[in-house]
């Protein structure tokens, strides 16, 4: 990225079960963010029809369902999401090589079905987990080592990038190359509460580390003036010293 970059990297997490509230937020933020992220809270409450209403506003939509199951079921789950025309979907890397390859094959069917191929992103280790959680699960690497290991495996299986913490971006880019995308939650502008996120960075810091997309929820959606906050974030990354 450089300061002439025309794309806005912020994907705002519309974490609400309330379709009306999500639509209102999405409309008011449309020209201040790069896209919308819809996760399980929104999806479980509003289903594909709710997603379609957000997609129909014309913004790129990342459907964040973190799919994980046997290969055939994940591939079928992805095929069922393609008509919603998301620009990004994700799966758990811990579902393994065969599941990831089946997911890639399903996503590659998009163009023959008349849709733009969404990016397929892998979830490494969720950022709420620490080294002690890894040990308890019988995984002997530290969380950071495991994240790099999983990112390389995901790339080998044909995924387009990973969700990771801002502190892992540089190592992932070093291991997988600059083109391999990093989608980064845990972002807080200066002065905004960290909530339950453990290790946070500002938007500009994460972009300087090489983040391709910033997933930002409460810092925007619970701000007194969400539009102003989203605009301030956009200006801060647009003019970051990259
Ligand atoms: O409100 P906040 O900015 O913390 O929201 C972050 C969003 O990113 C939430 O939708 C959460 O589900 C998602 N996320 C995360 N950490 C991960 C993966 C996804 O916070 N490792």
């Amino acid at each position: 990225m450089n300061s002439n970059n025309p794309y806005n990297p912020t994907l705002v997490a519309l974490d609400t079960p309330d379709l009306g509230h999500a639509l209102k937020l999405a409309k008011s933020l449309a020209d201040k963010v790069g896209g919308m992220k819809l996760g399980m809270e929104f999806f479980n409450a509003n289903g594909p029809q709710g997603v379609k209403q957000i997609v129909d506003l014309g913004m790129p939509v990342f459907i964040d369902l973190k799919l994980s199951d046997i290969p055939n079921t994940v591939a079928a789950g992805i095929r069922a999401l393609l008509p919603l025309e998301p620009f990004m979907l994700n799966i758990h890397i811990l579902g393994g090589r065969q599941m990831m390859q089946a997911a890639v094959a399903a996503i590659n069917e998009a163009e023959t079905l008349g849709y733009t191929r969404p990016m397929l992103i892998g979830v490494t280790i969720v950022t709420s987990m620490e080294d002690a959680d890894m040990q308890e699960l019988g995984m002997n690497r530290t969380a950071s080592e495991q994240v790099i290991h999983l990112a390389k495996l995901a790339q080998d299986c044909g995924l387009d990038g990973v969700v990771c913490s801002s502190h892992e971006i540089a190592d992932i880019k070093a291991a997988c190359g600059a083109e391999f995308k990093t989608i980064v939650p845990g972002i807080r502008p200066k002065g905004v509460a960290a909530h339950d996120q453990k290790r946070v960075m500002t938007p500009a810091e994460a972009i300087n580390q090489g983040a391709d997309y910033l997933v930002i929820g409460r810092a925007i959606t619970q701000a007194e003036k969400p539009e102003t906050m989203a605009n301030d974030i956009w200006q801060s990354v647009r003019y970051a010293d990259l």
Side-chain angles (χ1 to χ4, degrees):
M1 263 183 61
N2 59 56
S3 47
N4 296 321
N5 194 338
Y7 89 89
N8 184 327
T10 298
L11 304 176
V12 62
L14 300 176
D15 289 329
T16 170
D18 181 341
L19 176 60
H21 182 52
L23 280 166
K24 196 168 158 237
L25 272 172
K27 281 180 198 159
S28 68
L29 296 169
D31 61 348
K32 307 204 166 42
V33 298
M36 310 291 158
K37 186 190 82 97
L38 299 174
M40 71 164 95
E41 183 176 358
F42 180 90
F43 192 85
N44 291 355
N46 300 295
Q49 290 310 317
V51 174
K52 186 158 185 340
Q53 289 197 47
I54 302 285
V55 169
D56 285 347
L57 297 176
M59 296 293 292
V61 170
F62 169 21
I63 304 181
D64 171 24
L65 293 180
K66 301 185 178 68
L67 302 175
S68 184
D69 207 312
I70 59 169
N72 185 59
T73 300
V74 165
I78 287 174
R79 278 189 215 103
L81 291 173
L82 292 178
L84 294 171
E85 304 196 60
F87 96 110
M88 184 180 281
L89 292 175
N90 62 1
I91 59 176
H92 268 289
I93 299 171
L94 285 172
R97 177 180 291 278
Q98 287 181 30
M99 190 202 81
M100 285 191 276
Q101 288 176 338
V104 169
I107 217 118
N108 286 344
E109 290 171 24
E111 279 170 4
T112 51
L113 296 170
Y115 308 119
T116 305
R117 180 191 180 282
M119 269 185 249
L120 183 63
I121 301 301
V123 177
T124 51
I125 297 293
V126 287
T127 43
S128 52
M129 287 176 67
E130 297 174 310
D131 292 348
D133 299 297
M134 309 297 296
Q135 297 293 325
E136 191 176 32
L137 288 169
M139 296 179 184
N140 293 324
R141 294 188 181 89
T142 64
S144 313
E145 287 166 353
Q146 184 74 359
V147 165
I148 306 305
H149 174 74
L150 293 177
K152 286 200 257 184
L153 176 61
Q155 185 176 40
D156 193 50
C157 292
L159 271 63
D160 302 297
V162 290
V163 181
C164 64
S165 112
S166 50
H167 298 265
E168 291 150 358
I169 301 165
D171 285 345
I172 290 172
K173 293 284 185 182
C176 301
E179 293 306 308
F180 193 64
K181 306 287 185 230
T182 52
I183 288 76
V184 183
I187 300 295
R188 293 292 180 276
K190 275 200 180 66
V192 174
H195 306 107
D196 53 351
Q197 298 283 9
K198 287 182 180 138
R199 295 186 302 157
V200 299
M201 270 194 198
T202 67
E205 283 167 348
I207 291 295
N208 280 325
Q209 288 292 310
D212 295 284
Y213 293 95
L214 308 176
V215 172
I216 308 181
R218 289 162 291 183
I220 293 176
T221 59
Q222 293 182 11
E224 209 175 307
K225 294 182 180 161
E227 293 167 54
T228 306
M229 179 60 85
N231 195 52
D232 289 351
I233 290 170
W234 174 214
Q235 299 311 317
S236 78
V237 297
R238 204 169 176 178
Y239 301 117
D241 180 23
L242 303 173

